[in-house]
Amino acid sequence: MMLKKTACEMLTVLVIGLIAVFVFPNYVAFYTVISSTIYVSLAILALSLALVWGYGGILCFGQAAFFGLAGYTYAVGAFNFEVTAYAAVIAVIVPVIFSAVLGYFMFYGRLNDVYLGVITLTVTLILFKLANSTAGDIYTIGNARLGGFNGMPGTPLLANPFGNGEPLSPHALFVLATVLLLLSYFGCRWLLSTRFGRVMVAIRENETRAELLGYDSRRYKLIFFCVGAGIAGISGMLFANAVFVSPTMFSLNYTAQILIWVIVGGLGTLMGPVIGCIVLQVITAYLGKTGLIDPSAALGLILIVFVLLVPKGLLPLLTELPDRIRQRKKLLSAEPAASDKGEQQ
Amino acid sequence: MDYIIVLILQVLYSVASLALVCAGLAVVFGMMRVINLAHGEFIMLGGFTTVLSANAGVPLMIAILVIAPLAVGIAGYLIERLVVRHLYGRMVDTMLATWGLSLLLVGLATMVFGNQVAGVAAPFGSVTIGAYGVSLYDVFVIGITIAVLVASYFVLAHTNLGLIARGAMQNPEMASSLGASPARIYSVTFTAGAALSGLAGGILAPLSGVVPTMGAAFVAKAFITVITGGASILTGTITASGILGGISTLTTFAINPVIGDVALLLTAIILLRFLPYGITGRFFRGAN
């Protein structure tokens, strides 16, 4: 049952992905392609938290830190290197290294999930402050001025390293972002199907039991945390190309939004947060345009309502609906004893 | 010599303001194990209440010491009733719901007050020590923090209410079977915590000005300090703000404020690596 559902989901993702790559950009306005690139890059960020929190049980409020670090690394690299693709690769490596150091202190200190959340949140806010304080000529790395609050506009865009050095067109960037989202998604699925992924889920379910069976939960969590940081790094690198790098990448606003995408979409699923991200991005963009209600007030209200009333999120709610109806029908038609045999989701 | 006096005053002041900002959070976290991420917004509400009532003609001291804690206490009471009450025992969910609350309050404040700094002038003027000017309001902040801490200690250690509160903190089931209603204790605690945050907001309003997004500046520091402090409310808050506030001020003096914040965080992370249950999880156990 579970397997069939996963296969079904993977197939749907593949079909939607192929449509997004080959059909979508040819039929919509230029502006829509650009904003879709932003949504897709943020969807990768949502995916990273979906993996780390939903499957690893690591309550990380600091995905925005890795996102922002990757953005800044890319921008600094792109100003300094001839080939911007090198900058893109380094942009994914730097957050992984940072997460390894941070994770060592947190997991080997055996902090519980709530403390973990607070520390990752604090790290993000400190990075926000640091990035904001880099105005002026002293804060220059090679040819790159960090620019304080204004960020780093005019960062050279990613170019095909095997081509003529021409930067990618918005269309190509969208395709690249979508392909990276698909690769990240299937990568996560693959990781979760390996022995390593299964042990990680076991640790999420019951850490003590997993430890008693001989698995070092600290090491597993640390590695998983780094994988999540790497995926967030891909997202940050794309975002730097789609928009530009500024301290807001580290802001409380993004930190909160990532969480809301995951909660709304459904914790413990991979697709849910991605859908949640795109839907909520469209809604907040609309609210920002019309000025009907402050977007942050709307997001806050959505978060409260979901935590109180729909704690499982939308995707599990929708996918369980047919099962529940079927079960209820079975209950109504068959003898009461049969209900115990019903599959537990 | 005068430089050293000013430096000591400055360290004392930043330790005191850190403890003040943490007090409300420490009460709620220590007694209820609730991480209230809307803490910064309670401070913001206290600040706005003070500025608005001072501009409406209320004497500043009454606005700070009476109206701000009262208004935010009432807001806290309502929020406990509407949101937090339904999530007791689910730490992560409470954290998320209060985060939603924080965003909601920031959004509403932006819609009502606009995204600009409101403020009142700090009272009392200043004195000169040698070549340096020292604001008397800073000294007032130190004094009021000591008063708040002493009052909290008195309530916790010497009143019936404090006894019940400490009992409920150590063993809620036992307290409940002895006739104390945990729901009421939690309600009172959350309200008291909110009132303390309101007071902190009121006191800080003349210093930093008030903006809807000001909560974010406090929330990280306050949380890291409370967690570093550990389970004991007063001792934890005092020791943690002493260590972290001291280190952060000294690095601020030596380098700059941003590095001061970074030093605060690094110290906290390293401390928590070796004392995962906070300072009072290892030392001063069983203190208030």
Side-chain angles (χ1 to χ4, degrees), chain B residues 235-258:
Chain B
T235 326
T237 307
I238 294 168
T239 47
S241 0
I243 295 175
L244 299 179
I247 286 178
S248 127
T249 319
L250 292 176
T251 37
T252 301
F253 257 81
I255 309 167
N256 68 42
V258 176

Side-chain angles (χ1 to χ4, degrees), chain A residues 28-39 170 285 289:
Chain A
V28 295
F30 187 64
Y31 171 77
T32 317
V33 174
I34 294 178
S35 55
S36 303
T37 311
I38 302 174
Y39 297 167
K289 233 187 301 180

